[in-house]
Amino acid sequence: MRSIDIVLRCVSTSGFVLMLVLLDSLSATTDTRRSTYDDMSRDIRAMQDDDMANPASLWVNDGAALWSQPAGAAQMSCADCHGDAATSMKGVAARYPVFDAARGKPVGLEARINHCRKTRQQAPAFAPESRDLLALTAFVGRQSRGLPITTGDDPRLAPFVEAGRMIFERRQGQLNLSCAICHDHNAGKRLASALIPQAHPTGYPIYRLEWQSLGSLARRLRNCMAGMRAAPYATGSDEIVALELFLMARARGMATETPAVRP
Amino acid sequence: MRVQRSNPALSSRPLDCFVASLLAMTAIGVAVTLGVADDAPTIANGAITTPLTATPGDPVRGRKIVANRQVGLCLLCHTAPIAEERFQGDLAPDLAGAGARWSEAELRARVVDARISNPSTIMPPYGATGDLTRVAAAFHGKQLLSPQEIEDVVAYLVTLK
C-alpha cells in the first residue's frame, strides 16, 4: 500500500488547521457528537459505571499487578520508571496515538507499552491482543477515565490525521461501503438490529459482550472491515495507526470511558 | 459487457492529489464488468431487459435470499414485507411496493449494480465485480450474488406490488 505515502506527501498543514477550526467551532456551537454509551441500554451503562460489575475490571486489576512486577533481563517494573500510575499515567491514554519523533510517525499506546517492554525491561514484546497487553493498556487507560481526549493537538500529526480521514472516507470491500457512510451519514439508524454508533473510540480497550472479552480498537476495526468484506489492515500498520489517530482526533474533547462496555 | 463511467468512490474526495493517486491505482479497474463475460447484460436507460440466465427466476427462492443476512444482506439496510424477520434496517427505502414503482428490467439493473442509476448509492453491486477497492481475499473477483440468484431476487421483487 503506497497510497498512504502519497497522501502524506500531498497533504499540507492548511488542511489540519482547517480541521482544528472546524472541530473547535463544532464544540463551541452545537456539539452533536455522542458516545456509544449514550445510546446503550440502562443495564449495560450500569455495568460500565460500576467497577464491581464491569467485567473489564479483571483486566485492569491484572494490569495493576503487571505494573509493579519486575520483568525481562533488566528485572525492572513499569513502576520502577513511572512510579504511581495514578499520577504518572493520568491523561496519557487520552492523548494517544502520539507523534514519535524518533520514527517520524504516530505510535499507538499498545506499541508504546511494547517499546518500553523491549528497550527498558529487555523482555519480549507482548503479542497483539494478548491478555497481558490488554491488561496493561486497560490499566493505563483507566488512569484517564473522565478526562477529555486530547489526541491530535500536536501539529506534527496533521498529515497522519488526514491520511486516516482518507481511509475513513474511502469505499472499500465487496460491499463498496466506507466507514463514513455508516458512521458519519447513517449514525443513529439501524443496520438490521444494530444501532449504528458515531464510532468515537472513547473507551478502548472495551469489554464487548459479543466477544465475551476485552478487545482493542484494532480488533473492533477488523470487525467492521470484515463486515464490509474488505481486506483488513495489518496489525500495527501505518494505515491502522492513521485510522485510530483520525478517530481519536475526531473524538477530541469527549470524555475517556476506559474501560468501556459495549454490546 | 463493459460500462465506462466515473468512479463513484471518488466523488466525495476533495484532495486532488489523493484522487489522482487512487485513479492511477484503479485506472485499469474503472471499467465495470457486469455479469458473466459471454452472456453479459445490455444496460439501457437504467434497465436490463434481457434476463441474466435462461432459467426464469423463482420468487420463493428470491424471498429467501432477500431474508438471509449472510446471503442477500438486503435486510441490513432495507425493510421488506417479510414479517418473520424481526430485525430490519432503516438505511434504505422499504422494499414493499418496489414491484409497482419499478419495471422488472429496472429492478434487475438495481440489483446488478445500483451505481448505474445512482453513482453515489450505498447499495452494494450484487452482480458487478469491477471498480471496487481492497476486497477481502475470500471475495476477490466474486459477485455478491450469482446471476441465477439475482434472477430469483428480481422475480421476488416483481411480486411486491
Side-chain angles (χ1 to χ4, degrees):
Chain A
M1 250 333 254
R2 303 302 301 159
S3 61
I4 200 161
D5 300 335
I6 297 162
V7 170
L8 295 184
R9 264 185 272 126
C10 306
V11 177
S12 68
T13 28
S14 61
F16 182 66
V17 172
L18 184 68
M19 191 203 72
L20 288 186
V21 171
L22 285 175
L23 281 178
D24 282 348
S25 61
L26 194 75
S27 53
T29 53
T30 41
D31 190 342
T32 51
R33 292 177 303 172
R34 296 172 74 76
S35 164
T36 308
Y37 176 91
D38 300 329
D39 298 310
M40 297 193 313
S41 72
R42 184 196 296 266
D43 288 354
I44 303 180
R45 273 186 282 156
M47 192 188 281
Q48 173 171 318
D49 293 340
D50 177 2
D51 280 346
M52 300 296 282
N54 187 334
S57 295
L58 294 171
W59 280 261
V60 174
N61 294 342
D62 283 0
L66 284 170
W67 181 260
S68 46
Q69 186 180 299
Q75 274 304 294
M76 285 178 73
S77 72
C78 315
D80 287 336
C81 287
H82 298 288
D84 183 3
T87 32
S88 67
M89 292 296 126
K90 193 174 174 184
V92 168
R95 65 167 184 265
Y96 266 75
V98 298
F99 188 77
D100 178 358
R103 295 165 72 220
K105 56 185 188 178
V107 59
L109 185 56
E110 287 101 333
R112 178 68 242 190
I113 289 171
N114 261 336
H115 183 73
C116 278
R117 188 134 163 104
K118 284 183 289 188
T119 60
R120 311 282 180 198
Q121 296 182 306
Q122 293 166 38
F126 294 121
E129 233 44 47
S130 62
R131 177 150 186 124
D132 285 354
L133 184 55
L134 287 169
L136 269 172
T137 313
F139 175 68
V140 172
R142 179 72 178 81
Q143 314 308 318
S144 292
R145 198 174 222 194
L147 296 176
I149 292 169
T150 59
T151 308
D153 278 351
D154 184 342
R156 290 174 299 178
L157 289 169
F160 301 94
V161 174
E162 203 47 42
R165 176 200 302 283
M166 301 286 188
I167 296 173
F168 190 79
E169 293 180 351
R170 177 196 299 163
R171 300 263 195 160
Q172 305 190 49
Q174 193 192 31
L175 301 192
N176 200 30
L177 296 169
S178 68
C179 317
I181 284 176
C182 284
H183 295 297
D184 275 347
H185 308 314
N186 286 291
K189 293 197 186 159
R190 291 215 172 257
L191 187 72
S193 63
L195 189 74
I196 302 179
Q198 292 181 356
H200 298 300
T202 44
Y204 285 81
I206 58 165
Y207 184 89
R208 192 168 180 218
L209 296 170
E210 192 180 308
W211 294 336
Q212 293 284 300
S213 168
L214 207 69
S216 69
L217 178 55
R219 180 173 178 190
R220 170 66 255 185
L221 300 187
R222 276 201 298 277
N223 283 185
C224 280
M225 297 287 286
M228 299 154 83
R229 300 191 180 173
Y233 299 110
T235 309
S237 62
D238 288 352
E239 283 96 345
I240 202 82
V241 177
L243 196 48
E244 293 190 11
L245 172 66
F246 168 71
L247 289 173
M248 285 293 281
R250 182 169 164 272
R252 212 162 61 109
M254 297 177 78
T256 307
E257 296 167 41
T258 307
V261 179
R262 293 290 180 262
Chain B
M1 165 89 198
R2 299 193 140 237
V3 186
Q4 291 288 343
R5 50 171 185 71
S6 64
N7 184 340
L10 304 176
S11 55
S12 63
R13 276 307 331 139
L15 275 151
D16 293 343
C17 51
F18 180 69
V19 170
S21 69
L22 242 187
L23 267 179
M25 276 159 49
T26 54
I28 21 159
V30 172
V32 184
T33 317
L34 296 177
V36 274
D38 298 341
D39 211 10
T42 308
I43 301 156
N45 301 322
I48 301 175
T49 316
T50 318
L52 306 178
T53 58
T55 314
D58 174 351
V60 177
R61 274 207 305 262
R63 188 181 187 278
K64 280 203 190 103
I65 293 166
V66 170
N68 187 311
R69 273 140 227 277
Q70 275 77 46
V71 180
L73 311 166
C74 315
L75 300 186
L76 287 181
C77 295
H78 288 278
T79 39
I82 300 182
E84 71 274 17
E85 288 297 326
R86 279 187 38 241
F87 299 114
Q88 307 191 354
D90 62 0
L91 270 60
D94 193 336
L95 292 179
R101 288 190 291 275
W102 307 99
S103 70
E104 180 189 314
E106 286 166 333
L107 290 168
R108 185 176 291 113
R110 275 265 183 218
V111 179
V112 166
D113 192 345
R115 296 175 291 186
I116 293 164
S117 44
N118 174 10
S120 60
T121 187
I122 65 167
M123 178 157 154
Y126 281 88
T129 54
D131 215 0
L132 300 173
T133 313
R134 275 195 88 85
V135 176
F139 302 102
H140 210 266
K142 293 189 183 142
Q143 295 186 181
L144 267 158
L145 292 177
S146 72
Q148 193 59 54
E149 287 172 320
I150 292 175
E151 285 304 318
D152 293 343
V153 167
V154 171
Y156 166 67
L157 293 174
V158 165
T159 68
L160 301 179
K161 300 280 192 212

